[in-house]
C-alpha cells in the first residue's frame, strides 16, 4: 500500500517521504533505530509482525517500498517471506546493481521499491514474475501511489494534486512536503493522502528522509501513538 514522494533539493540532496497506509489491526510499529546490516548502519522503523520495514536509510542510500507492482493482483499465499524483509535484504548488497542482479525475487508478493541517492533515483517493480527497473530523473519531483490500494483513476487524480501543489511550491521545505502528505485531497477521505477507510485501513505513519549537507535526517511521525521523532545519521557519504 502506501504513498511516496521525492523532491530534489538545491543543496545537492533530496527528500524522500513515505505515508504508510495499512490495516488498523496491524501490530504497532517499533520506532526507528539503528541496525548493522552488511557492515553499514541502517536506520528504520520495524514491523514486529514480519520483522521488516517499509522505509530505511543508510548515510548514502534511502529506500522505501510500496505494495503492488503495476496493477492489483490476486494474492497467491503462502509467500516465501514478507515484502517488508526486502529492504533489510537490500542492504546486504554493496550496491543497487548487485541487488538487482543477484537477489531472488521469486516467491515474493508484487511490490515497488524506490532507491534514492544524491544524483540517482531508481524505481524497481516486481510483478511476481518479472522485474522492471526504471531510472527516474533525480532532478524532478515524483509521486507514487500503491497499485493495490488506489485505482488508476485515483492515482492520476493524486498526481494532479501533486502537480498543482508543486506549481505553487516550486522549492518546498520539508515541513511543506509533510503538510502535503497530510492535507492533499478533495474531501474523499478514502483516497486522500492522509487516508482513512472506516477506521479499518488508514495512514499509520509518515516518514521523511532528508539528505542534505552530507547528513541524513529521518523524521518519523506515528499517527497511532501521536508521536514524532528525528534521527540524525552522522556518517558522511564518503564512509557510508
Amino acid at each position: 500500500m502506501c504513498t511516496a514522494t521525492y523532491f530534489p533539493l538545491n543543496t545537492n540532496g533530496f527528500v524522500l517521504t513515505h505515508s504508510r497506509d495499512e490495516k488498523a489491526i496491524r501490530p504497532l510499529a517499533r520506532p526507528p533505530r539503528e541496525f548493522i546490516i552488511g557492515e553499514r548502519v541502517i536506520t528504520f522503523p520495524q514491523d514486529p509482525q514480519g520483522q521488516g520495514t517499509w522505509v530505511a536509510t543508510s548515510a548514502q542510500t534511502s529506500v522505501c517500498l510500496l505494495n503492488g507492482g503495476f496493477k492489483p493482483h490476486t494474492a497467491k499465499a503462502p509467500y516465501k517471506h514478507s515484502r517488508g524483509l526486502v529492504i533489510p535484504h537490500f542492504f546486504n548488497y554493496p550496491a543497487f546493481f548487485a541487488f538487482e542482479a543477484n537477489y531472488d525475487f521469486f516467491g515474493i508478493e508484487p511490490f515497488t521499491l524506490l532507491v534514492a541517492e544524491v544524483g540517482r533515483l531508481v524505481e524497481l517493480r516486481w510483478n511476481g514474475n518479472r522485474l522492471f527497473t526504471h531510472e527516474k530523473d533525480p532532478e524532478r519531483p515524483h509521486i507514487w501511489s500503491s497499485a493495490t490500494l488506489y485505482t488508476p483513476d485515483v492515482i492520476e487524480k493524486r498526481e494532479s494534486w501533486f502537480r498543482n501543489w508543486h506549481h505553487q511550491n516550486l522549492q518546498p521545505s520539508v515541513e511543506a512536503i509533510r503538510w502535503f502528505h497530510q492535507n492533499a485531497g478533495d474531501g474523499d477521505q478514502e483516497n486522500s493522502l492522509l487516508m482513512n477507510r472506516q477506521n479499518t485501513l488508514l495512514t499509520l505513519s509518515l516518514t521523511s528522509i532528508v539528505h542534505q549537507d552530507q547528513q541524513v535526517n529521518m523524521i518519523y511521525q506515528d499517527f497511532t501513538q501521536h508521536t514524532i521523532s528525528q534521527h540524525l545519521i552522522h556518517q558522511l557519504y564518503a564512509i557510508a
Side-chain angles (χ1 to χ4, degrees), residues 72-152:
H73 62 274
T74 300
K76 298 178 181 180
Y79 289 102
K80 182 167 55 179
H81 58 70
S82 166
R83 287 170 289 196
L85 290 174
V86 172
I87 290 179
H89 292 170
F90 170 87
F91 285 103
N92 278 310
Y93 293 83
F96 175 81
F97 70 87
F99 170 78
E100 178 189 24
N102 297 292
Y103 190 66
D104 183 7
F105 294 90
F106 285 96
I108 303 175
E109 195 168 359
F111 64 86
T112 299
L113 190 72
L114 309 177
V115 182
E117 298 178 348
V118 174
R120 190 181 188 195
L121 176 63
V122 185
E123 172 194 278
L124 183 153
R125 294 181 188 255
W126 168 248
N127 70 358
N129 297 297
R130 183 181 170 190
L131 188 67
F132 299 82
T133 303
H134 184 201
E135 295 274 352
K136 307 287 284 186
D137 185 351
E139 300 303 318
R140 296 181 57 190
H142 302 274
I143 185 171
W144 297 263
S145 298
S146 170
T148 62
L149 189 59
Y150 303 103
T151 65

Side-chain angles (χ1 to χ4, degrees), residues 2-5 14-20 29-33 35 37 42-47 52-58 61-66 83-88 91 112-114 205-211 217-221:
C2 308
T3 305
T5 62
F14 64 86
V15 182
L16 181 67
T17 302
H18 183 280
S19 297
R20 186 192 185 206
R30 297 169 183 150
R33 67 180 182 90
F35 298 80
I37 303 177
I42 312 301
T43 302
F44 58 84
Q46 189 176 44
D47 173 26
T53 190
W54 52 98
V55 61
T57 190
S58 69
T61 306
S62 294
V63 182
C64 71
L65 184 143
L66 297 86
R83 287 170 289 196
L85 290 174
V86 172
I87 290 179
F91 285 103
T112 299
L113 190 72
L114 309 177
S205 64
L206 179 65
T207 307
S208 294
I209 304 173
V210 186
H211 285 244
N217 187 28
M218 175 181 281
I219 306 168
Y220 176 76
Q221 187 170 2

